[in-house]
Each structure stands twice: as structure tokens, then as C-alpha cells.
Amino acid sequence: MTANRHKLAMHDLGGVAPFADRPIDRREHALSHFDKSVDALMYLLSHPSRRLIRVDELRRAIESLPAAKYHGLSYYEKWLQAMHDLLVEKGVLGKDEIAARLAALRAAGAKP
Amino acid sequence: MAGHHHDHIHAGDPHAPVAEHGPSPEYLLLERAVRELLVAKGVFAADDMRRQIDLTDSRNPAMGAKLVARAWTDPAFRKKLLAEPKAAAGEMGIDVSNTPELIVLENTPTRHHLVVCTLCSCYPKAILGIPPAWYKSAAYRARAVKDPRGVLAEFGTALPPEIELRVVDSTADLRYLVLPRRPAGTDGLDEAALAALVTRDSMIGVSHPLSPA
Amino acid sequence: MTPAASARFRPGDRVRVRDAWPEEGGRRVHIRTPHFVRGRVGEVERVLGAFANPEDLAFGKPGLPPQPLYHVRFSQPELWPGGGRTDTLTVDIYESWLEAPR
């Protein structure tokens, strides 16, 4: 099997153990407001009128997450982390700017 | 999130499925920070965000079910849905602007389709809404290509061995909608009654449509 | 998507997916050809049109000229030991990943 000879990319999951041996967790999950917000953010950023992040870039940034985050974060947490990384990479937002806004929100005791 | 039961997952079991969980406070705050900064810079308006969330909320499998039911009752529409899926969806009032190309996979007496995206989570969101958690799970992505009949069995779906099971791995630029077979015993049903039989899962291919009561 | 005027392969052609592993080269890459079809032989089912190359788009490059994209169908036993004999798998694959079988 090719899978034994090659080091596969983390997201290239077709037929890959241990996932291929697991039952599928079929429970339904209602989307949270956070999930919908992150989905909407990506839609707005990728819209042809802005094209600040392409879906291909989002995929690449998700695949570039450390394995612990790729398999540990929720689906839309991964999207948000990847969008954050891309906005910084492209200079749309500054790392310091984001850190400052987070600090201000925390100082104000903000509830998300 | 309320309503989740983890009691059957044993702590420390390496084979326990990875459960989707609600957002952590850290990410809730990051979403707010990023959104507020983008609004402050005029990248988009706060209203754009609300409108987009409303649009997402309005997209759900009932839209796909309407397409399927129309295709079952109107041969000309079925032909159009297979030949020009986005145009056919637009005709039914579904907003497919700025969405990827769509292909409709028609199940036949000799062929059944099952859709997966092994590399990420490609899904016809314009037609079906946001994919279910299991569709995005590592287990489904890993198994649907290697053990598709086992996956169908896990969903309680019987498929005779002589029927070709065609798995379609959606890798980048196209999205797939399965056109399931019309169930037997539905001759007298109108379009709305037929649409009620068309489940989300039957348009992904893990299930058959419901049978009439 | 634009029509693929210059597609090298036609429906019915036997094609082999290149046995290439760019992710092992130490360079950052974004690959849309799943690992389990590489080096395997399938049949072109349909020419889907031409699309900007996602391997470039992922890094902010234009991905032009657009590249023909194909539906390639494999028999399950070609991909997995014990795969169902009547069963098949279809994947969208970009032309740069395809070659004539040896």
C-alpha cells in the first residue's frame, strides 16, 4: 500500500488508520452562533467583490495547522484559526492589532 | 452544547470518536476581535454579516428535496437538473450565485452514488446548507472511500451486492448532489408529499429516501 | 470554469495518476489529488472543463492558465485490497496529475 511507503499529509484521510477503523459518530449537532458567524466571515472575505481569502487558501491554512489543533479544535475553530493566520499573512490585519483588540475586550470583561 | 451525551465514550479509549465541541472562550473572543477589526477597517459592514447569517439559516436540505421531487415528477426538469444543475436550481428560486459548480449524480436501478470529501469537507452548501458533523468527521472521510458498503450498513442502508456502488470523492472545484430513486408506492403523491420523503442523507447517498407512510 | 478546449484526454481513455509525492519535498504545498489514487490506473469518464489550478490559488497565485479537470473512475479493487468488484470510485483530477498508462 502506498500509505505505508509515504508520509501522508495530515488531511489526506482516505482509507487512513486509525480513522478508517472507527465507527462514525452520527449524532446531529446544531450550529452555534459562533459556527454561523465564522461561516459568514469566510463567505464575506471570499466574496468576489473582496476576494481577500480564497477557499483554496483557507484549505491550505487549515492543513498547515499543527496536528493537535487539526484534530483537536472544532470545525469552525479551525476555520477561524486559519482565517486569522491568513489575514495576518496577507497583511489585512496586524498580529499586534489583533492582540490589542483581544486585550481590550478582555479588560472590558467582554462576553463574546 | 446542550443535548450531547458522552457517557458511552470511555475516557482514555484511543478509539473513541473525536467529538465536536462548542467553541472555547478563547475562540469566541477571537471571532469578535477579528470581526470588529474588519468592520472598523470598512472591509464589510456589520449588516453584511447579519444578512449572510440569515442566508445561511435559510439554506437547508428542504431546498434540495424540492429539486429532487420536481425531478421525480417532471421529466423535462429532471433532464435540465442533470444537464445544467445550477440553472435548474436557480429556476426553483435557489440562490446559487457565487457558489461552486454543481453536478447531480442520478441513482439508477443498477447504480448508487455516495459522496465524500476525503481532503476536507466539500459539500453543496447552496443546496443543502451546512454539512452535518459526521460528514466532516475523520472517520467518515477515511471510511467512505475504503469501506463504502460498511458505511452504508452503519447508516442502516441496504444495497444489494449486484448494484454498483460509486463513491465520488469531491476534491476541489465541484460539488455533488445525489438524485435518489423515487420510492415505490408513491404514484399518487404530489410534489410536496414527495419532497417530504427526500432526506438530507439520501442526497449525500448514505441513505435511501423515506417510504410513504 | 471555462471549456477545456485543449484537453489532452477524452472520455474512455485509460489514464494513470502520477505516482508523485510533492508533500515529501520539504516545500509547502497544497495538493488536491488524494494519496490513494496516485500510481493507479483509471478511466476518464468526463472532461469537466478548465479551472484555475488550486495548487497555486492556495498560495495567492492566479493559477493560470486554467487546467483541464477530469472525472476519473477507478474500480475499487484497483485501489483497495478486498474492494467490491462491482464498486467504483470517481475523483476529480487535474490534467497535470495524469499520464498515459505505461
Side-chain angles (χ1 to χ4, degrees):
Chain A
M1 286 298 297
T2 50
N4 294 334
R5 291 193 287 115
H6 294 282
K7 183 170 165 20
L8 301 182
M10 178 176 61
H11 63 282
D12 196 356
L13 288 180
V16 168
F19 310 107
D21 304 316
R22 287 182 179 169
I24 295 161
D25 181 349
R26 294 172 51 210
R27 288 172 297 178
E28 296 290 332
H29 297 253
L31 290 175
S32 66
H33 187 71
F34 170 84
D35 296 337
K36 292 178 191 175
S37 300
V38 175
D39 196 81
L41 266 179
M42 180 56 199
Y43 182 91
L44 293 174
L45 291 170
S46 65
H47 191 274
S49 65
R50 302 181 189 88
R51 203 149 270 177
L52 287 170
I53 297 181
R54 298 195 73 117
V55 66
D56 310 270
E57 294 173 301
L58 180 75
R59 291 180 185 135
R60 184 258 295 173
I62 291 172
E63 294 160 16
S64 307
L65 294 174
K69 285 196 170 180
Y70 187 83
H71 290 295
L73 296 180
S74 78
Y75 182 76
Y76 281 108
E77 285 175 346
K78 277 189 271 191
W79 272 40
L80 180 60
Q81 182 66 57
M83 284 158 61
H84 163 275
D85 297 349
L86 288 164
L87 290 169
V88 170
E89 174 186 307
K90 291 163 162 265
V92 178
L93 297 180
K95 234 182 168 145
D96 297 347
E97 191 178 18
I98 297 169
R101 177 62 64 125
L102 283 171
L105 286 173
R106 283 200 189 95
K111 292 224 166 53
Chain B
M1 241 181 267
H4 291 180
H5 302 288
H6 297 278
D7 48 359
H8 66 281
I9 296 171
H10 303 291
D13 175 359
H15 297 292
V18 182
E20 279 278 306
H21 52 79
S24 66
E26 180 196 349
Y27 279 96
L28 282 169
L29 217 54
L30 181 61
E31 187 277 324
R32 180 166 168 187
V34 167
R35 167 169 41 91
E36 289 180 354
L37 286 169
L38 291 169
V39 170
K41 283 175 191 279
V43 172
F44 52 77
D47 254 4
D48 294 331
M49 189 84 180
R50 274 190 285 275
R51 263 196 300 276
Q52 182 53 35
I53 290 177
D54 287 346
L55 178 60
T56 302
D57 277 338
S58 74
R59 289 175 158 161
N60 61 63
M63 300 190 314
K66 267 172 61 181
L67 295 181
V68 170
R70 175 65 60 89
W72 282 347
T73 52
D74 178 345
F77 183 80
R78 175 186 152 271
K79 216 169 148 189
K80 175 143 194 184
L81 184 64
L82 292 170
E84 303 169 73
K86 281 180 80 169
E91 237 172 59
M92 294 285 282
I94 298 175
D95 180 2
V96 287
S97 55
N98 304 317
T99 64
E101 294 295 323
L102 180 68
I103 288 185
V104 174
L105 305 163
E106 185 180 32
N107 287 347
T108 70
T110 56
R111 181 181 301 152
H112 181 92
H113 293 90
L114 175 70
V115 180
V116 62
C117 171
T118 62
L119 298 176
C120 50
S121 56
C122 299
Y123 189 77
K125 283 165 82 174
I127 312 288
L128 298 182
I130 299 212
W134 57 259
Y135 183 85
K136 304 180 279 195
S137 71
Y140 182 73
R141 289 163 54 193
R143 286 183 55 199
V145 285
K146 189 181 181 186
D147 178 27
R149 286 185 184 261
V151 169
L152 289 190
E154 208 163 303
F155 278 82
T157 303
L159 193 71
E162 66 276 13
I163 292 185
E164 174 192 343
L165 174 53
R166 177 169 296 180
V167 178
V168 178
D169 189 355
S170 178
T171 59
D173 284 305
L174 298 149
R175 302 293 177 271
Y176 298 95
L177 181 78
V178 174
L179 173 55
R181 292 179 64 207
R182 180 170 172 163
T186 56
D187 285 355
L189 298 187
D190 65 14
E191 224 175 288
L194 287 170
L197 303 176
V198 183
T199 59
R200 175 197 69 200
D201 290 4
S202 72
M203 293 180 280
I204 302 173
V206 291
S207 302
H208 300 303
L210 303 173
S211 292
Chain C
M1 200 259 300
T2 52
S6 60
R8 181 180 159 201
F9 302 104
R10 293 163 179 277
D13 284 357
R14 303 275 292 162
V15 287
R16 183 174 180 270
V17 183
R18 285 169 44 226
D19 195 4
W21 299 86
E23 52 276 80
E24 292 179 333
R27 205 163 44 86
R28 291 199 312 165
V29 292
H30 173 73
I31 306 296
R32 302 309 291 179
T33 302
H35 69 94
F36 54 88
V37 297
R38 298 189 208 166
R40 306 304 168 105
V41 174
E43 184 182 318
V44 172
E45 204 179 313
R46 180 169 168 182
V47 184
L48 297 162
F51 292 80
N53 187 352
E55 298 184 9
D56 290 341
L57 291 175
F59 293 95
K61 292 183 274 185
L64 299 176
Q67 200 181 127
L69 180 66
Y70 300 88
H71 261 174
V72 181
R73 188 177 68 243
F74 302 86
S75 76
Q76 283 286 12
E78 166 77 10
L79 302 177
W80 316 103
R85 291 196 161 278
T86 53
D87 297 342
T88 55
L89 183 132
T90 294
V91 193
D92 349 315
I93 303 182
Y94 294 86
E95 188 170 274
S96 62
W97 275 91
L98 297 176
E99 58 193 18
R102 288 183 282 229

